[in-house]
Amino acid sequence: MPSYFQDRLNIALVSIALIGLAAGLALWASGRDDLADMVWIAGVVPVLTALVVEIVRSLARGDVGLDIVAALSMTAALVFGETLAAAVVALMYSGGTFLESAAERRAHREMSDLLSRVPRTATRHENGALVEVDLDAITPGDLLLIRQGDIAPVDGTVEGAGALLNQSALTGEAMPARLPPGGAVMSGSTNSGDAFDLRATHRASDSTYAGIVRLVEAAQKSKAPMVRLADRYSLVFLVVTVAIATAAWWFSGDPIRAVAVLVVATPCPLILAVPVALVAGMSRAAHFGVLIKGAGPLEAMARIRSVILDKTGTLTDGRPRIVAIKAQSELGEDDILYFGAALDQASKHPIAQAIVAAAQERGITLPVPDSPVELPGAGVTGMVDGRRVAVGGADFVLKQTSAAHPNHPATSEAEVTVAVAVDGRLAGYLVMADMLRSGTGGFLAGLRRIGIGRILLATGDRQAVADDVTGGLDLDAVQAQLSPDQKVQLVLAERARGPVMMVGDGVNDAPALAAADVGVAMGARGTAASAEAADVVLLVDRLDRLLPGLEVARGARRIALESVIVGIGLSILGMIAAALGYLSPVQGALLQEVIDVAVILNALRALRIAPKTVA
């Protein structure tokens, strides 16, 4: 049933129950008891009908829920003429159902945004002309034009001089990759350099990106559905309720006592209070920048024991930054950055843009370069303040200088060096790296403090890069060079140890996010694919926001459990009183309202949860 229709149905049922109860009370107060009974019945029947349909569907799936008790109480009240009690129960039940559906309507969403990332058309060479064609029309062997900024629509190989591609969303590698002629291109990669020709090797439906979409859909279908917290106690509560009602009728000979027991037993404290606590927890988590897509994910979040982290864009910033400036001449660090950044304003290369941003962060005013010439993927030459400048890879810049053997700075596997030459002399090196997020060590320590037993890194990046970046961190394992399906397998393997949370931001993380008990996406700069596949989205670009989110989830679940225990306890006491003849059905319904108010007030405490890990 589409969520839109379900929401409208729930609103209609609540409205019918409320109007029926109110109109019946008005008629009853005016002495029209017969009409009041008819109106109350009219308000109950639609709610009861919808409830019976849902019970039949649940039983077909093998699920036994608290809805059966509500159906029994309404049916018994109608059969034995306790129409007012039935109307009160109908309103309580329909109100609880509406609240619960509102809390969980986004537990699962379609992968429309993931699919929309892939272009619907491509530019193909045909008889010396360029023609826009649908993706389905592309066959292996076709020659396609990939312009700057375009996303490769199918897998293929580079034709011509080479290509510069940003594959971070697919592989986790933060730095753009320079592919030689014949190099393999994965669909979903973004062209960061000049336009190039792509020789298609696969159809769109068989390419890398389409495979990732299928992985996400398969993972979502295979993940077990969330079970309502209240329903875990349903079978025992149902047995106890029927036993007390049967005993009351048997020993007293009065069926009204059984009706009163069933009315008091109507599990509205559970149906209402549990979603109230979880929805309040969702609201509280959002205060800290953590968007949780339903009550089910929040409850699962409270039980997490293992966390798997992606590297690029999750554990790291996902953007290259200057970590050191190595002078090779009389020019100072700011001068080297000044000349390099000024000339790099003429380039769209991600590293060039990062160098410009670094200069601006230092407050350096950059002049407009003259006569810039760029060799894509290699470097840029031009004039800055009347001086000849070259910026780029060491080999490219060396050709612009007289230096035969430059003093190349030693770098780790995770670092990239950019050389800067001024007036034919090597001025220095800008050392770039994708750095760990600030406070990463404290974040990992915080996970340990709140009871996370295992913390793992899963990345598509090279093992050497992953080891360099994570050196000294409190991780139980570092898994590198993983494809999307291997990340899914890692998640499934860890689930054997207990509930698993996966945190990521790229397209390659989406299948693992969908497969995990709780998937968390970095929403501020992450891809739409990861945000759609995830159960939780961090709305701010701060990984440490996950800590208060976890604490709020645990606190909300604890409060929900308290509501379950208190609600069941008070209901059982009320059932015993009704069985002994101390409560009529209407009085039982009113008592149930008092119990509702008590447990809901307790549930609303989740709005005031104060996490200890807020930075």
Side-chain angles (χ1 to χ4, degrees), residues 39 206 218 354 534 608:
V39 170
D206 299 326
R608 301 193 302 273

Side-chain angles (χ1 to χ4, degrees), residues 333-422:
E333 292 186 2
D334 283 353
D335 293 328
I336 296 170
L337 181 57
Y338 171 83
F339 284 110
L343 185 57
D344 266 343
Q345 292 177 102
S347 173
K348 292 185 177 180
H349 194 290
I351 291 180
Q353 294 174 350
I355 292 172
V356 173
Q360 292 172 340
E361 288 173 3
R362 294 194 183 194
I364 298 175
T365 301
L366 301 176
V368 177
D370 293 328
S371 307
V373 177
E374 180 175 10
L375 180 61
V380 187
T381 59
M383 304 295 292
V384 176
D385 292 344
R387 305 180 71 173
R388 185 161 50 89
V389 178
V391 182
D395 291 340
F396 172 80
V397 173
L398 261 180
K399 296 177 182 179
Q400 318 297 322
T401 71
S402 57
H405 301 285
N407 182 21
H408 196 288
T411 63
S412 71
E413 290 285 343
E415 293 179 345
V416 171
T417 57
V418 176
V420 180
V422 179

Side-chain angles (χ1 to χ4, degrees), residues 9-179:
L9 177 61
N10 290 335
I11 292 173
L13 292 176
V14 171
S15 301
I16 291 171
L18 178 60
I19 293 171
L21 178 60
L25 287 173
L27 290 169
W28 176 77
S30 64
R32 303 298 302 274
D33 294 2
D34 52 342
L35 287 178
D37 285 337
M38 294 177 61
V39 170
W40 284 328
I41 292 172
V44 172
V45 169
V47 177
L48 181 58
T49 301
L51 176 56
V52 171
V53 170
E54 183 58 33
I55 289 172
V56 171
R57 289 176 175 173
S58 298
L59 291 176
R61 297 192 301 266
D63 297 333
V64 178
L66 289 167
D67 299 338
I68 294 177
V69 180
L72 285 174
S73 65
M74 278 188 272
T75 301
L78 290 178
V79 168
F80 293 103
E82 297 291 338
T83 53
L84 175 56
V88 173
V89 173
L91 178 59
M92 289 190 294
Y93 176 80
S94 59
T97 301
F98 170 74
L99 180 61
E100 188 170 30
S101 65
E104 296 182 353
R105 72 167 62 107
R106 287 204 48 169
H108 296 288
R109 284 189 55 184
E110 296 182 26
M111 289 300 298
S112 56
D113 281 350
L114 175 57
L115 292 168
S116 67
R117 175 181 164 84
V118 180
R120 299 300 180 189
T121 62
T123 305
R124 184 168 65 188
H125 291 273
E126 290 186 8
N127 301 320
L130 293 174
V131 180
E132 289 292 319
V133 296
D134 291 336
L135 287 191
D136 293 339
I138 299 174
T139 59
D142 284 352
L143 189 63
L144 309 176
L145 175 66
I146 310 298
R147 302 180 180 90
Q148 187 177 70
D150 282 353
I151 296 171
V154 297
D155 292 349
T157 57
V158 177
E159 294 278 321
L164 183 68
L165 295 175
N166 183 344
Q167 301 175 333
S168 60
L170 296 169
T171 66
E173 172 60 66
M175 305 298 180
R178 178 72 181 177
L179 299 185

Side-chain angles (χ1 to χ4, degrees), residues 229-460:
L229 180 63
D231 281 349
R232 294 174 192 166
Y233 304 88
S234 59
L235 189 57
V236 173
F237 190 74
L238 176 61
V239 171
V240 170
T241 298
V242 173
I244 295 176
T246 302
W249 191 352
W250 178 269
F251 289 107
S252 69
D254 183 3
I256 301 302
R257 288 197 183 187
V259 175
V261 170
L262 292 174
V263 169
V264 175
T266 302
C268 290
L270 309 186
I271 295 172
L272 284 169
V274 170
V276 164
L278 298 182
V279 170
M282 292 163 55
S283 176
R284 185 60 174 161
H287 176 76
F288 298 101
V290 182
L291 174 63
I292 303 175
K293 294 184 180 180
L298 181 137
E299 187 195 341
M301 196 173 173
R303 298 181 288 109
I304 293 300
R305 291 295 176 266
S306 299
V307 173
I308 301 175
L309 300 166
D310 174 48
K311 181 183 74 68
T312 305
T314 302
L315 206 61
T316 68
D317 285 328
R319 296 174 294 183
R321 294 181 179 274
I322 294 177
V323 297
I325 300 177
K326 306 289 187 179
Q328 302 293 313
S329 67
E330 70 282 356
L331 292 179
E333 292 186 2
D334 283 353
D335 293 328
I336 296 170
L337 181 57
Y338 171 83
F339 284 110
L343 185 57
D344 266 343
Q345 292 177 102
S347 173
K348 292 185 177 180
H349 194 290
I351 291 180
Q353 294 174 350
I355 292 172
V356 173
Q360 292 172 340
E361 288 173 3
R362 294 194 183 194
I364 298 175
T365 301
L366 301 176
V368 177
D370 293 328
S371 307
V373 177
E374 180 175 10
L375 180 61
V380 187
T381 59
M383 304 295 292
V384 176
D385 292 344
R387 305 180 71 173
R388 185 161 50 89
V389 178
V391 182
D395 291 340
F396 172 80
V397 173
L398 261 180
K399 296 177 182 179
Q400 318 297 322
T401 71
S402 57
H405 301 285
N407 182 21
H408 196 288
T411 63
S412 71
E413 290 285 343
E415 293 179 345
V416 171
T417 57
V418 176
V420 180
V422 179
D423 290 335
R425 294 182 58 194
L426 182 64
Y429 293 100
L430 304 174
V431 183
M432 315 284 294
D434 182 18
M435 300 296 294
L436 285 174
R437 291 180 181 272
S438 176
T440 297
F443 164 70
L444 297 179
L447 288 178
R448 300 291 189 190
R449 283 195 302 272
I450 62 176
I452 301 300
R454 283 178 58 79
I455 307 174
L456 299 89
L457 180 78
T459 178

Side-chain angles (χ1 to χ4, degrees), residues 170-171 457-461 479-484 486-487 490 508:
L170 296 169
T171 66
L457 180 78
T459 178
D461 213 339
Q479 300 285 341
Q481 294 176 276
L482 299 181
S483 61
Q486 289 173 325
K487 286 189 176 184
L490 177 61
N508 61 331

Side-chain angles (χ1 to χ4, degrees), residues 566-599:
V566 171
I568 288 177
L570 293 175
S571 293
I572 289 176
L573 291 176
M575 283 190 286
I576 293 172
L580 296 174
Y582 294 112
L583 293 175
S584 68
V586 173
Q587 290 171 331
L590 295 176
L591 175 62
Q592 191 59 260
E593 288 284 13
V594 174
I595 296 174
D596 288 349
V597 171
V599 294

